[in-house]
């Protein structure tokens, strides 16, 4: 609910449990006033007057200094010397922007963001959008701040649109959100970091005076940092305390962080990385920032995650597969790598059928001259030697077995040894006069160019049109360097990274709406582009190239800080694990994969009878439980980052079923007994697990007994409420 208190000039954005407030100061400056637990009453009008005057602060806003004010969308050039949200450069070389309030409007629902992925509202949702218009009168530069309030889901989606009505201007920085958190003494910053095959570890550090940030500069969101931060109280835990989450719906370079001022306020911000970014706005042109999703939780990190999960699952992911059970795939990659022919794939599918897999996915190596990673990327037609009968035949053979057929693409890349590159060397990103350095023998196509996007749309469409392909794995296997576009003039080279992402979104929008029955899964050497932007087009992501069960406990747990298990593709693979060599029991591999989007990355033909039987059982059990994993609420009970174990609890939407996933990374022989205290149960109801029955009260206060005496023990306990 959006309320404007016109006497005191305060906006209140209320969700079920939270309030976000802004105030117009002396008819001009838009201030951030409050973000936290839902308020029943208005703020005291003195909230701003009580602020201490600081010697030496220039009074550039009447009796106030912007250096001290909690600004809602700060600009460079004023007395406010903290990290600004907006930085513009004008024709005379000056860089001072001064925004003042003009007016505002409230609309029902949520307008779409032109060309960008974003959360959305559906008919019947209690979602309203407030648009606040600010203006720099000297430059005739207008900023429209947009706040969509998801009342039921407890989240606020924020973005800014900058419209230049003056002479030509250049936008050098335009964050999506910046929030001056007042009284942020003793706070921590949480973010998700890692690298290839160890994506999204949880980093938590104290916020110290000055600016601390995480950034991506590689052209995509990346595996090194994820476009998300949370600021929280020092005492905040998984289940208690104030947590302020900011997540960016964007797949390119980003910057997010917090700057602690000397006066106890931290400016938390998130948006496109200003490094190598500048956007020219001629008179009448506009720039739309991506969307930032803000979530406040008084129930610790877990409370914040549950809000993101539900919002992203139901109001970010789209399409036919958003709400229905998805395919259980068998992917060929770790079985065949580049060595296969059409009969190999049919045989893999035949064996997969035995365990109940429903989709056979042919990974890399099926096209053009691609028999190694040295050639062929960009040439999207079948390799006639490998697939002499064609993709149509192969899909039909797989379909005849009763399975769907899926195919791998890596559309954003090109091998220098390809027809595409020989014909269009200027279609790749490059810096004039410099060598273009390949990695994995590939360079990046220039998706900022329309003709490149059109070529990719046409090539992929022609494949999808001539074979019955019902699943697509969209891969992307390199970070960008030596970035430049031969299609843009010198003064617009700062637009290339962002235009690349806009081009990518255009391609994805076109293909996903042209092929609504295809289930698209995104991948970037595993989870190198696991972000809300990609989830808008593809509801699931290959979480990591590391499918080792122990490592996956941490990768999936870290990913779940923001993203639901329904978005994490998780496959059972062979041992020793191909990425890191560890041997884990088959049961553990099944149990760890099951809460995600289950699949297989192994040759069923090489499995033992016992493994085949366990796979069959796993598929059956998964089909019975996936609704709880994917639509229910997650409680993270024991962290694999802090202990030798990992315990997750999923509760079904109707609260009738609870699943406890207990896994041991390392055990201690004759170790201590542990009592895992479950959460959010009905204390007075009884829950049946196997042939035992417990009161909810007992499970939450006494706990479930577990002895972590061996490494790699894996248990999945199912509790059904009986009264
Ligand atoms: C990287 C992906 O993460 C793998 O699953 C596989 O598809 C390879 N690329 C194929 O080149």
């Amino acid at each position: 609910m959006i309320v404007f208190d016109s006497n005191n000039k305060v906006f209140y954005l209320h969700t079920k449990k939270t309030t976000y407030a802004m105030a117009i100061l002396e008819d001009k400056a838009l201030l951030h006033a409050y973000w936290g637990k839902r308020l029943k009453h208005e703020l005291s009008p003195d909230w701003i007057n009580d602020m201490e005057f600081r010697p030496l602060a220039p009074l550039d806003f009447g009796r106030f200094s912007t250096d001290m004010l909690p600004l809602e969308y700060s600009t460079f050039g004023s007395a406010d010397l903290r990290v600004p949200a907006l930085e513009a450069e004008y024709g005379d070389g000056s860089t001072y922007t001064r925004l003042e309030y003009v007016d505002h409007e409230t609309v029902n629902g949520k307008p779409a963001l032109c060309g960008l992925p974003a959360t959305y509202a559906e008919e019947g949702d209690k979602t309203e959008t407030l648009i606040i218009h600010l203006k720099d009168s000297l430059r005739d530069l207008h900023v429209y701040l947009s706040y969509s309030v998801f009342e039921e889901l407890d989240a606020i989606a924020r973005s800014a649109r900058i419209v230049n009505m003056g002479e030509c201007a250049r936008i050098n920085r335009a964050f999506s959100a910046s929030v001056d958190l007042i009284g942020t003494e003793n706070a921590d910053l949480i973010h998700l970091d890692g690298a290839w095959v160890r994506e999204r570890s949880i980093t938590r550090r104290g916020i110290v005076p000055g600016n601390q940030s995480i950034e991506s500069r590689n052209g995509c969101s990346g595996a090194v940092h994820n476009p998300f931060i949370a600021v929280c109280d020092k005492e905040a835990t998984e289940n208690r305390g104030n947590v302020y989450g900011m997540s960016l719906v964007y797949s390119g370079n980003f910057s997010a962080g917090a700057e602690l001022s000397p006066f106890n306020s931290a400016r938390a911000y998130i948006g496109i990385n200003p490094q190598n970014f500048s956007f020219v706005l001629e008179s009448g042109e506009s720039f739309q920032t991506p969307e930032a999703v803000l979530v406040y939780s008084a129930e610790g990190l877990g409370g914040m995650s549950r809000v993101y999960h539900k919002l992203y699952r139901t109001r970010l992911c789209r399409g036919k597969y958003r709400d229905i059970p998805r395919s259980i795939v068998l992917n060929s990659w770790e079985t065949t790598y580049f060595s296969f022919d059409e009969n190999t794939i049919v045989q893999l599918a035949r064996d997969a059928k035995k365990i109940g897999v429903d989709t056979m996915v042919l990974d890399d190596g099926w096209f053009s001259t691609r028999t190694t990673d040295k050639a062929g990327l960009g040439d999207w037609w079948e390799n006639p030697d490998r697939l002499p009968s064609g993709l149509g035949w192969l899909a039909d053979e797989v379909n005849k077995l009763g399975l769907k057929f899926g195919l791998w693409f890596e559309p954003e890349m090109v091998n220098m040894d390809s027809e595409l590159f020989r014909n269009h060397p200027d279609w790749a990103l490059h810096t004039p006069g410099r060598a273009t350095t390949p990695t994995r023998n590939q360079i990046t196509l220039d998706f900022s160019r329309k003709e490149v996007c059109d070529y990719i749309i046409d090539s992929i469409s022609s494949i999808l049109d001539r074979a019955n392909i019902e699943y697509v794995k969209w891969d992307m296997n390199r970070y960008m360097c030596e970035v430049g576009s031969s299609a843009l003039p010198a003064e617009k080279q700062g637009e290339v990274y962002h235009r690349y992402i806009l081009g990518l979104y255009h391609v994805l929008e076109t293909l996903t709406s042209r092929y609504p029955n295809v289930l698209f899964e995104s991948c970037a050497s595993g989870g190198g582009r696991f972000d809300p932007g990609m989830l808008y087009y593809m509801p699931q992501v290959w979480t990591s190239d590391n499918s080792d069960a122990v490592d996956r406990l941490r990768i999936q747990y870290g990913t779940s800080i923001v993203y639901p298990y329904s978005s994490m593709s998780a496959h059972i693979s062979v041992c020793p694990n191909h990425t890191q060599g560890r041997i884990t029991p088959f049961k553990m591999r099944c149990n760890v994969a099951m809460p995600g989007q289950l699949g297989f990355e192994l040759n069923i033909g090489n499995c033992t009878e016992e493994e085949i039987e366990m796979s069959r059982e796993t598929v059956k059990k998964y089909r019975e439980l996936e609704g709880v994993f994917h639509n229910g609420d997650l409680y993270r009970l024991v962290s694999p980052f802090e202990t030798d174990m990992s315990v997750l609890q999923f509760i079904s939407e109707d609260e009738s079923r609870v699943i406890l996933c207990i896994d041991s990374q390392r055990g201690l022989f004759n170790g201590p007994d542990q009592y895992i205290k479950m959460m959010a149960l009905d204390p007075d109801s009884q829950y049946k697990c196997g042939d035992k029955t417990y009161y909810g009260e007992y499970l939450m206060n006494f706990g479930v007994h577990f002895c972590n005496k061996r490494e790699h023990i894996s248990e999945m306990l199912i509790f059904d409420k009986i009264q």
Side-chain angles (χ1 to χ4, degrees):
M1 187 178 31
I2 296 170
V3 178
F4 182 54
D5 167 358
S6 52
N7 291 331
N8 296 306
K9 307 266 170 53
V10 181
F11 298 99
Y12 293 96
L13 279 47
H14 297 296
T15 69
K16 226 168 37 185
K17 294 188 191 163
T18 78
T19 296
Y20 185 100
M22 291 166 279
I24 306 164
L25 181 69
E26 317 213 318
D27 289 337
K28 286 181 180 151
L30 184 67
L31 302 186
H32 176 72
Y34 174 83
W35 186 19
K37 276 191 187 152
R38 182 166 173 146
L39 299 178
K40 274 200 259 158
H41 311 287
E42 62 276 10
L43 291 171
S44 154
D46 281 328
W47 75 274
I48 190 69
N49 297 320
D50 286 347
M51 212 162 265
E52 197 74 21
F53 170 77
R54 303 289 169 187
L56 296 184
L59 301 182
D60 61 340
F61 235 106
R63 59 199 170 98
F64 294 98
S65 170
T66 49
D67 192 30
M68 294 153 40
L69 289 174
L71 298 165
E72 186 59 22
Y73 202 65
S74 56
T75 53
F76 183 74
S78 66
D80 172 25
L81 300 176
R82 293 163 289 178
V83 173
L86 177 70
E87 215 180 321
E89 189 183 326
Y90 303 98
D92 58 4
S94 65
T95 49
Y96 176 24
T97 302
R98 184 183 172 97
L99 293 178
E100 294 184 357
Y101 169 81
V102 179
D103 55 18
H104 69 270
E105 63 167 326
T106 302
V107 295
N108 264 331
K110 182 171 189 290
L113 298 193
C114 184
L116 285 166
T119 53
Y120 56 87
E122 283 192 345
E123 193 78 32
D125 287 356
K126 279 192 182 165
T127 303
E128 287 177 296
T129 301
L130 169 70
I131 300 164
I132 304 178
H133 177 192
L134 308 174
K135 178 181 174 185
D136 181 315
S137 305
L138 179 69
R139 300 296 176 180
D140 212 359
L141 188 87
H142 302 248
V143 174
Y144 296 86
L145 297 179
S146 164
Y147 301 83
S148 295
V149 181
F150 289 90
E151 189 167 337
E152 294 297 317
L153 291 166
D154 267 321
I156 294 174
R158 225 189 117 166
S159 67
R161 191 164 67 91
I162 297 140
V163 181
N164 179 27
M165 297 310 289
E167 287 170 11
C168 179
R170 181 188 283 277
I171 306 300
N172 290 328
R173 172 196 301 253
F175 282 158
S176 302
S178 164
V179 184
D180 287 353
L181 295 162
I182 305 163
T184 323
E185 200 179 29
N186 261 340
D188 279 348
L189 186 66
I190 296 177
H191 37 97
L192 305 173
D193 316 291
W196 176 66
V197 301
R198 55 178 178 84
E199 296 91 343
R200 289 170 295 286
S201 293
I202 303 168
T203 303
R204 180 167 179 164
R205 51 171 156 153
I207 298 182
V208 295
N211 182 28
Q212 39 254 282
S213 69
I214 49 156
E215 299 184 17
S216 147
R217 299 187 195 92
N218 52 41
C220 63
S221 46
V224 179
H225 302 292
N226 196 262
F228 157 80
I229 54 163
V231 173
C232 65
D233 294 348
K234 263 274 179 284
E235 312 75 48
T237 64
E238 176 65 22
N239 301 308
R240 267 190 296 275
N242 296 311
V243 180
Y244 303 85
M246 296 172 105
S247 160
L248 189 67
V249 187
Y250 192 58
S251 311
N253 291 342
F254 70 89
S255 175
E259 181 173 15
L260 185 62
S261 83
F263 309 119
N264 197 14
S265 118
R267 174 167 293 169
Y269 57 86
I270 195 161
I272 292 179
N273 194 334
Q275 166 114 42
N276 277 67
F277 167 83
S278 72
F279 222 89
V280 177
L281 291 186
E282 300 293 343
S283 187
E285 287 184 342
S286 64
F287 181 80
Q288 173 65 58
T289 74
E291 167 169 296
V293 178
L294 311 187
V295 172
Y296 162 77
S297 155
E299 290 146 39
L301 264 182
M304 178 202 72
S305 300
R306 284 186 288 280
V307 171
Y308 278 122
H309 292 175
K310 194 156 189 195
L311 180 76
Y312 285 176
R313 213 164 60 208
T314 61
R315 292 295 180 270
L316 176 69
C317 292
R318 299 176 300 166
K320 171 173 167 183
Y321 295 98
R322 187 188 75 177
D323 300 327
I324 60 171
R326 302 187 198 147
S327 291
I328 299 176
V329 307
L330 184 131
N331 181 294
S332 63
W333 182 241
E334 287 194 19
T335 300
T336 65
Y337 293 104
F338 285 111
S339 308
F340 61 88
D341 62 20
E342 55 192 22
N343 297 322
T344 325
I345 302 304
V346 176
Q347 186 55 43
L348 284 178
R350 202 170 285 130
D351 290 334
K353 170 86 183 152
K354 291 188 206 152
I355 58 163
V357 155
D358 51 47
T359 304
M360 175 68 221
V361 178
L362 171 52
D363 208 280
D364 197 353
W366 58 267
F367 50 96
S368 168
T369 52
R370 181 88 166 170
T371 51
T372 67
D373 62 17
K374 292 193 173 57
L377 271 180
D379 300 341
W380 297 108
W381 51 84
E382 297 100 310
N383 177 334
D385 300 328
R386 283 211 157 162
L387 306 179
S389 317
L391 275 172
W393 174 87
L394 184 55
D396 288 348
E397 286 305 295
V398 170
N399 291 165
K400 274 188 224 158
L401 293 167
L403 270 72
K404 296 177 186 161
F405 180 66
L407 199 60
W408 178 97
F409 291 90
E410 192 179 0
E412 296 156 72
M413 298 291 152
V414 62
N415 282 123
M416 281 153 145
D417 184 358
S418 66
E419 274 190 34
L420 181 66
F421 188 70
R422 279 185 284 276
N423 292 335
H424 300 284
D426 59 324
W427 279 16
L429 293 173
H430 68 279
T431 306
R434 302 278 180 195
T436 301
T437 320
T439 175
R440 208 191 185 211
N441 307 298
Q442 64 194 52
I443 56 178
T444 313
L445 283 175
D446 181 357
F447 266 47
S448 75
R449 296 179 69 146
K450 184 173 178 310
E451 56 275 54
V452 174
C453 294
D454 289 346
Y455 167 81
I456 290 299
I457 290 170
D458 290 348
S459 321
I460 292 177
S461 298
S462 94
I463 297 284
L464 297 183
D465 286 342
R466 69 169 184 276
N468 188 23
I469 294 162
E470 295 177 80
Y471 163 104
V472 163
K473 178 175 173 187
W474 184 288
D475 205 349
M476 197 284 283
N477 288 306
R478 73 158 291 174
Y479 290 155
M480 299 171 200
C481 61
E482 297 132 7
V483 170
S485 170
S486 44
L488 288 171
E491 68 275 14
K492 285 180 172 264
Q493 289 297 319
E495 299 179 14
V496 179
Y497 282 106
H498 182 60
R499 285 189 182 276
Y500 177 98
I501 296 296
L502 293 179
L504 171 65
Y505 289 154
H506 164 69
V507 171
L508 294 178
E509 182 66 36
T510 309
L511 288 171
T512 52
S513 43
R514 192 175 286 175
Y515 299 98
N517 292 326
V518 174
L519 170 60
F520 283 84
E521 171 168 312
S522 92
C523 171
S525 301
R529 198 166 55 183
F530 203 132
D531 61 58
M534 295 309 283
L535 282 183
Y536 180 72
Y537 302 99
M538 315 193 194
Q540 61 190 60
V541 187
W542 177 226
T543 314
S544 176
D545 274 350
N546 187 345
S547 54
D548 167 65
V550 174
D551 286 352
R552 271 293 181 120
L553 287 175
R554 286 191 294 269
I555 294 168
Q556 294 173 184
Y557 186 104
T559 303
S560 81
I561 295 293
V562 183
Y563 308 98
Y565 269 80
S566 59
S567 64
M568 298 182 215
S569 184
H571 295 179
I572 299 162
S573 60
V574 287
C575 274
N577 182 267
H578 283 198
T579 313
Q580 60 98 292
R582 186 185 277 125
I583 295 175
T584 50
F586 200 77
K587 179 180 175 192
M588 181 182 193
R589 282 178 267 157
C590 295
N591 282 354
V592 173
M594 240 194 277
Q597 291 292 342
L598 180 73
F600 292 80
E601 195 92 12
L602 45 72
N603 186 348
I604 300 298
N606 291 342
C607 288
T608 63
E609 267 315 309
E610 197 192 352
E611 286 169 345
I612 291 178
E613 193 42 43
M614 279 169 91
S615 301
R616 218 178 265 134
E617 282 301 308
T618 299
V619 166
K620 231 171 87 198
K621 193 164 168 188
Y622 171 76
R623 284 299 187 210
E624 192 196 324
L625 302 180
E626 63 183 320
V628 185
F629 294 133
H630 298 163
N631 305 324
D633 269 338
L634 168 69
Y635 290 82
R636 291 178 294 249
L637 302 187
V638 179
S639 165
F641 290 100
E642 291 160 16
T643 69
D644 288 338
M645 286 167 50
S646 159
V647 184
L648 302 174
Q649 178 192 306
F650 295 87
I651 307 187
S652 64
E653 265 181 309
D654 65 1
E655 298 177 357
S656 65
R657 180 166 264 190
V658 186
I659 306 172
L660 209 52
C661 303
I662 310 173
D663 290 278
S664 145
Q665 309 185 77
R666 225 162 53 116
L668 180 65
F669 184 63
N670 204 20
D673 293 304
Q674 313 213 4
Y675 295 88
I676 298 161
K677 295 186 173 60
M678 294 174 70
M679 289 186 64
L681 308 181
D682 174 1
D684 302 322
S685 289
Q686 287 191 297
Y687 294 82
K688 190 167 162 33
C689 175
D691 54 8
K692 295 188 177 155
T693 302
Y694 310 89
Y695 275 104
E697 170 191 72
Y698 172 91
L699 295 171
M700 291 193 289
N701 298 308
F702 192 90
V704 176
H705 176 260
F706 181 75
C707 188
N708 189 26
K709 54 180 176 274
R710 262 187 304 112
E711 64 175 8
H712 308 162
I713 307 177
S714 181
E715 297 296 346
M716 191 176 281
L717 305 178
I718 300 163
F719 297 82
D720 286 311
K721 204 192 227 181
I722 47 175
Q723 47 171 283

